[in-house]
Structure formats: structure tokens, C-alpha cells
Amino acid sequence: MFSVLQELSDFETFEVTVGLTKSGLSNIDEVMEAIFSCISLLHNKEIPRYTFNEVLQLEELQWRFSSKGGAGNYVQSLATALQDYPPQLCVAGPRRLALCGSDSSLLTSSTPRTSFDSDRQLLFTKKLAAQFVDNLTVDNAMFTILSKSFRGQTNKKEVWYGTDYRVDPISETILSKWRNPVNPSEIGIAYPKPNVFIPSERGLRVKYPPEPGNGSRPRTFEDRMASITPPTIIRDDGADGRWTVFYKPDNKFGQPKAFVIFQLLTKEVFSSAKSASLSNMYEFCVTDKLQEYAYDAGLAGLTYDVRVVPRGVRLTFGGYNDKLQKFASYVSK
């Protein structure tokens, strides 16, 4: 997992977190070399143009269709943003990319974007990315390994929390190997292909806009106590049939998103202790098998969940309508 954490106002840290098996822990030097091999790809090979456009699109999606949060957290985020952005950008600044136009003027339009406004703007963004990547070096890094297997092998104690730890030097031989890692192509590392799950503008159209008055006034106690209209049954094959299908359109939030839940009823999954154990193992295996395929989908706002429950197997899918059917079809095979 890669992430950028802003620790203080004058610097940031870029963290790479890797979960290790016992074999991985015993071969930690090779794992680190693979990480720096991946970083060397950023140094030595130009990042594809489509990657920048995809990041822009994904940020725009989050900006346009973000869920409403708590007022307290929102005010705090605005106060923090004012430390880094002018007042007119305290809302959009932390949430959108490439807010400077080709003439260096600030972007004022809220029109959705699917690509950069100009080659100049893209080149400027690439330059900033390259400057960031230049700081990702072996000599500019700190390495931390956490494992219960180190218990009893520590010689220091952290002042504030009393955590036991140990600091060891890294040999120059290992550091030299990390500075000149194996070629990324030799270990199967390459830039990702275009993300096929990013929704198109046409696919983001809302079929059922919110009903007039929804969200225009605070909900009263009576509103909250009123019963919710239940889903409509649009297919019923009867007691001995295969499917009963319920449908409920969203006429409140007006977002181009959908949620689909499949409940596959069977008594076999929990019919015995062995069946229950195998069912739970199946759940883990499915998640592990789909992890790589579902990564791009997750970036594009699509989610899935496979659960073995006492009544059978439940599949849940959610996200933007446009590519949800394709994603759900593959996962449910």
C-alpha cells in the first residue's frame, strides 16, 4: 500500500506498507529490492499520459459525487486548507487536481473534466510529479519492520508509549543493491494498463433525478418517523422458482450509483462443521483471487463483497452504474 501522509506544514512523508508472510520476513532484503525496483521504473521510464488523465478523472469523480459528511469535520478541513490555498480554493484546492490554467490563472469553472485543459498544464503536472519522485531514494528513506518474532530481541524503549524497539545499521552491500535494484521487467513490474472501470460521462447521467423538495429543508421528527417506501417486486418465480427480484430507484440523492445484492439461499454452507469451515475458506479464497482484478475497479469507485452467511451466500456490489454490470458479471462467475 502506498500513501502520502502530511505530518507537518513544511514536509510530507511517502509511506510504502507491505504485509509479509513468514517467508517474506525472512527475505526482507529481496522485498525491499523489489520496492526500489518499482520506484526505479518511475525514475527511468516516463509515466504514461493516460495515467495522469485517469488520476484527474478519479479526483473529479470524488469531487462531484462525494457523500455529505459531518459539519465539524468539514469546517476543520476548510480551516486546514486555508493554510495552503487562497480563500477561493479552500474547498476545491485539496480535492481537485490541476487548478491552474494554461496561462497560470486559477481554474474557476466547476465543469467536469476528463483530461487536462492543455498540454502545458499536463507538462507542468508531470514536472511536479518528477520532482516528487526524485526524492524517493534509498538514502532518503527510513525502514521499519514490525513483527512479534522480534520479542525479546529489542534493546531500547520509546519514551512516550514505552514501545520496545531496536535500531540496526544496514550494511553498505545491501544499500548498494537497493540503489541498483533488479530490472523491473525481470520481476513482472510495469505501469498499469488503462483503467477500464472509470465511468464515461454518458454513463454518469442520472435516470431518476431527486424529487422536488428533497434535501431543500431539514427533516422534521415526523419526516424521520414516516415509513420508507419498500422496494417493488419486479420478478417473482414463486416458492419453487429460482428468483425473487426487488427493485427500488433512488429518487432522493440523485447520484449515478447503484447497489445490487444477491442472496443465494442454501442450507449446505452451514450444514456441518466441515461445511462451515470450507465455506469460510471459500470466502477468503474468492477475495484473494479477485484482489488484483478488483484493484482498478476499487479506484474507480466500484465495490464488492462476498459473504457466507447462515442462509447461504450473499454477493453485494456497489458504485457507479456505468461499469457496474461488467464488474458484477465477472465477480459472480
Side-chain angles (χ1 to χ4, degrees):
M1 180 179 69
F2 297 80
S3 61
V4 176
L5 302 178
Q6 185 169 352
E7 301 288 352
L8 295 173
S9 60
D10 56 348
F11 75 90
E12 291 181 337
T13 61
F14 180 81
E15 288 196 358
V16 180
T17 304
V18 180
L20 299 171
T21 61
K22 291 182 178 180
S23 177
L25 183 60
S26 62
N27 292 278
I28 186 64
D29 293 343
E30 287 74 15
V31 174
M32 293 300 305
E33 183 183 3
I35 293 173
F36 282 109
S37 177
C38 182
I39 294 175
S40 73
L41 179 66
L42 301 174
H43 285 287
N44 302 323
K45 188 175 181 180
E46 183 179 5
I47 301 173
R49 183 188 183 108
Y50 63 77
T51 299
F52 287 94
N53 284 330
E54 286 182 355
V55 172
L56 179 70
Q57 286 180 271
L58 294 174
E59 292 293 326
E60 289 287 289
L61 284 174
Q62 293 184 18
W63 160 257
R64 294 164 61 188
F65 303 111
S66 59
S67 301
K68 186 177 180 180
N73 290 335
Y74 183 58
V75 171
Q76 185 178 9
S77 70
L78 295 180
T80 302
L82 284 171
Q83 308 300 314
D84 301 313
Y85 300 93
Q88 63 267 35
L89 287 180
C90 67
V91 177
R95 298 170 176 84
R96 302 182 75 188
L97 296 179
L99 294 178
C100 283
S102 58
D103 58 351
S104 298
S105 61
L106 293 176
L107 181 70
T108 57
S109 172
S110 60
T111 303
R113 298 173 296 166
T114 58
S115 62
F116 287 84
D117 296 335
S118 65
D119 287 339
R120 179 180 176 182
Q121 189 184 66
L122 174 60
L123 290 174
F124 178 69
T125 305
K126 284 186 173 183
K127 180 180 178 181
L128 293 178
Q131 291 175 353
F132 184 86
V133 170
D134 286 342
N135 290 292
L136 305 181
T137 64
V138 173
D139 300 307
N140 197 27
M142 180 176 69
F143 312 98
T144 304
I145 307 174
L146 307 176
S147 173
K148 292 182 179 180
S149 64
F150 297 144
R151 185 172 294 167
Q153 303 177 42
T154 58
N155 54 16
K156 296 180 181 294
K157 188 177 289 288
E158 197 274 330
V159 175
W160 301 106
Y161 295 99
T163 303
D164 296 320
Y165 71 101
R166 189 180 77 204
V167 178
D168 290 334
I170 302 175
S171 71
E172 186 58 35
T173 302
I174 296 297
L175 291 174
S176 178
K177 191 175 182 180
W178 292 351
R179 295 189 190 102
N180 301 280
V182 62
N183 191 298
S185 62
E186 295 182 16
I187 54 176
I189 294 177
Y191 284 123
K193 296 179 180 179
N195 191 337
V196 298
F197 295 108
I198 297 178
S200 63
E201 278 301 307
R202 184 177 181 180
L204 290 173
R205 295 175 182 174
V206 177
K207 187 175 182 180
Y208 299 101
E211 293 179 350
N214 266 343
S216 61
R217 62 178 178 81
R219 296 178 65 193
T220 64
F221 175 77
E222 288 74 15
D223 292 334
R224 297 177 185 275
M225 295 302 295
S227 59
I228 299 175
T229 304
T232 302
I233 297 178
I234 59 176
R235 173 176 171 176
D236 189 353
D237 295 346
D240 298 326
R242 174 171 292 185
W243 295 106
T244 302
V245 182
F246 296 84
Y247 172 71
K248 182 175 175 62
D250 168 29
N251 57 5
K252 180 178 180 180
F253 299 102
Q255 294 203 355
K257 297 181 179 181
F259 291 92
V260 184
I261 301 174
F262 294 93
Q263 184 80 35
L264 310 178
L265 305 181
T266 174
K267 299 179 181 179
E268 296 300 320
V269 292
F270 279 5
S271 60
S272 66
K274 180 180 179 179
S275 296
S277 298
L278 291 175
S279 298
N280 287 328
M281 185 178 296
Y282 168 79
E283 183 180 308
F284 287 118
C285 290
V286 168
T287 302
D288 184 69
K289 178 67 175 179
L290 292 172
Q291 187 171 8
E292 184 174 346
Y293 178 81
Y295 179 77
D296 281 354
L299 292 178
L302 298 178
T303 62
Y304 83 97
D305 184 59
V306 178
R307 295 289 177 184
V308 177
V309 294
R311 297 184 65 192
V313 179
R314 183 175 63 222
L315 307 175
T316 306
F317 304 94
Y320 297 105
N321 302 334
D322 191 28
K323 305 297 175 65
L324 185 60
Q325 181 177 352
K326 175 183 178 181
F327 178 60
S329 297
Y330 182 90
V331 172
S332 58
K333 286 181 181 179

